[in-house]
Amino acid sequence: IEHRPLYGKHVLVTAGPTHEPIDPVRYLANRSSGKQGYAIAAAAAAAGARVTLVSGPVNLRTPLGVDRIDVESAEDMAKAVKAALPADAAVMVAAVADWRPRDYRDEKLKKRASAPPALILTENPDILATIAASPQRPDLLIGFAAETQNVIENARKKRKAKGVDWIVANDVSGDVMGGEDNQVHLILEGKAEEWKPMSKQDVATRLVSKIAEKLTADV
Ligand code: C5P
């Protein structure tokens, strides 16, 4: 039990970007390698959890013992997340596109000599906020917040606004995109823990041990 503290728990993780199709060959996306989310899924599985990883398009191997569900768009990710519930804990690491093209063209848009086409966007569902407000809300719900300035302050606000338990405030002002290292702070109710820069694996291990502490303390 000691080294598999999440045995018997179901942990849901989202990771990677979403791709929002414009036409059969083009899409809009956020920048995300998926590395941090995959590291968290791997660490949760290593801690004994049953792990469902809902993943946007990434070039990463499925971690050992993880049940991976591949999706493309935010709407597909929202459906896959709902289908994967209930979960004891959910860590929403995915960089979900805030908007998608309103009108999908099922034929490739032609490059014309005249003006380029205008893209009309519409809002995507906020998966995290939806789950937070749902009857299937996991006991421990954790969001990520990528910020470039006032990192802790903005993350505090986001924790409240989204109705989640913890926010991992991700300082992306440095060189973390696609890299091996990360700079995060953990925002809990009424306090913030400042973490030193460390590898994405170490962030994952540390976060998962926090999750294990919390889930086992509540029993
Ligand atoms: O509001 P913001 O996009 O900064 O919030 C980030 C957090 O919300 C992340 O945990 C991300 O996975 C989640 N999110 C989501 N669905 C969206 C947008 C963000 O689940 N449409």
Side-chain angles (χ1 to χ4, degrees):
I1 288 279
E2 290 251 315
H3 59 290
R4 291 173 72 79
L6 287 176
Y7 182 79
K9 306 287 185 190
H10 180 210
V11 176
L12 171 65
V13 180
T14 68
T18 63
H19 285 184
E20 310 299 328
I22 297 168
D23 70 14
V25 301
R26 302 182 180 95
Y27 61 81
L28 283 181
N30 278 18
R31 200 187 281 287
S32 169
S33 67
K35 282 178 187 169
Q36 185 62 79
Y38 272 57
I40 291 167
R50 175 165 80 83
V51 179
T52 306
L53 173 61
V54 178
S55 175
V58 296
N59 276 308
L60 295 172
R61 291 207 191 174
T62 308
L64 210 66
V66 166
D67 182 15
R68 169 172 168 185
I69 299 162
D70 285 318
V71 297
E72 297 256 334
S73 68
E75 287 181 299
D76 293 343
M77 184 173 278
K79 278 185 209 142
V81 163
K82 277 176 205 156
L85 293 173
D88 298 287
V91 194
M92 312 292 257
V93 196
V96 182
D98 291 313
W99 309 285
R100 66 176 180 277
R102 190 191 64 189
D103 308 302
Y104 173 75
R105 314 300 175 97
D106 46 22
E107 303 289 349
K108 184 184 171 191
L109 285 165
K110 290 281 176 255
K111 186 160 68 174
R112 292 199 187 83
S114 56
L119 267 187
I120 301 173
L121 303 180
T122 187
E123 208 156 317
N124 267 332
D126 189 318
I127 304 167
L128 183 56
T130 306
I131 297 308
S134 88
Q136 299 250 72
R137 187 192 193 283
D139 287 342
L140 183 58
L141 184 57
I142 305 167
F144 264 65
E147 304 281 355
T148 54
Q149 38 183 342
N150 302 326
V151 178
I152 289 180
E153 163 87 4
N154 287 333
R156 273 212 179 94
K157 287 183 189 151
K158 200 159 283 180
R159 197 188 78 83
K160 290 240 169 76
K162 298 239 188 194
V164 303
D165 299 299
W166 300 348
I167 286 274
V168 179
N170 205 349
D171 186 340
V172 295
S173 62
D175 204 17
V176 308
M177 290 289 188
E180 299 304 323
D181 291 338
N182 211 351
Q183 165 75 75
V184 307
H185 304 291
L186 184 60
I187 315 297
L188 309 113
E189 190 177 359
K191 69 169 182 192
E193 281 183 13
E194 301 202 26
W195 291 10
K196 292 193 172 64
M198 60 181 89
S199 70
K200 289 179 180 176
Q201 273 192 22
D202 286 346
V203 167
T205 308
R206 211 165 146 171
L207 184 64
V208 164
S209 68
K210 286 259 166 199
I211 292 170
E213 255 173 49
K214 179 73 181 167
L215 288 185
T216 48
D218 281 358
V219 174

